[in-house]
């Protein structure tokens, strides 16, 4: 991930969570909870992504005390490229270890985890 897309796994997860979120943004505190990070940890992680123009800070119109982390167009493009490679690698790792019947069973089990 780092070599091809200049992203750590944690940075990829931030971009993915924002991409999945409504309006491509989340409150910073909610993002920290989703990623099981402290406030300090999410602040440091977002600072690097903001410097790279992958994420931007967005104000909340209803409450000036709240700040959102919002995915930028650059961040979306980087995520989409990294996601293709990441999913292909996960698929390759699983496909090499399971036969087709096992993969079908695994897929059915994992589908239960979707929200």
């Amino acid at each position: 991930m780092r070599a091809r897309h200049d992203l750590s796994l944690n940075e990829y997860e931030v971009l993915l969570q924002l991409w999945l979120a409504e309006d491509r943004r989340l409150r910073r505190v909610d993002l920290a909870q989703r990623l099981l990070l402290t406030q300090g940890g999410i602040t440091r992680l977002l600072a690097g992504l903001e410097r790279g123009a992958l994420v931007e800070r967005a104000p909340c119109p209803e409450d000036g005390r709240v700040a959102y982390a919002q995915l930028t167009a650059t961040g979306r493009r980087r995520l989409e490229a990294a996601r293709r490679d990441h999913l292909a690698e996960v698929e390759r790792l699983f496909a090499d270890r399971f036969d087709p019947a096992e993969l079908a069973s695994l897929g059915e089990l994992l589908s239960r985890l979707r929200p």
Side-chain angles (χ1 to χ4, degrees):
M1 187 78 63
R2 177 64 74 195
R4 286 197 63 155
H5 302 286
D6 195 28
L7 291 172
S8 70
L9 192 53
N10 280 343
E11 291 168 332
Y12 172 81
E13 281 295 324
V14 167
L15 298 179
L16 181 62
Q17 289 300 316
L18 293 174
W19 183 74
L20 292 169
E22 186 176 332
D23 296 327
R24 305 289 190 248
R25 68 183 189 171
L26 288 167
R27 292 184 323 155
R28 295 164 78 91
V29 65
D30 294 333
L31 185 56
Q33 288 177 340
R34 286 185 184 199
L35 299 174
L36 304 175
L37 293 172
T38 63
Q39 287 301 310
I42 198 66
T43 296
R44 284 187 297 280
L45 194 52
L46 288 172
L49 292 169
E50 288 168 1
R51 278 192 302 276
L54 304 177
V55 172
E56 62 190 359
R57 182 182 284 262
C60 174
E62 296 85 30
D63 187 343
R65 299 169 295 175
V66 175
Y68 287 100
Q70 182 168 296
L71 188 63
T72 64
T74 302
R76 181 186 50 76
R77 286 189 299 274
R78 177 89 58 90
L79 171 69
E80 289 170 354
R83 187 171 179 263
R84 281 190 299 272
D85 289 346
H86 180 69
L87 292 175
E89 181 65 12
V90 169
E91 184 176 327
R92 186 191 65 76
L93 289 170
F94 276 85
D96 289 350
R97 290 175 171 76
F98 299 102
D99 66 40
E102 290 172 322
L103 286 171
S105 294
L106 183 59
E108 191 280 320
L109 292 169
L110 291 175
S111 72
R112 297 179 195 173
L113 299 176
R114 290 186 189 147

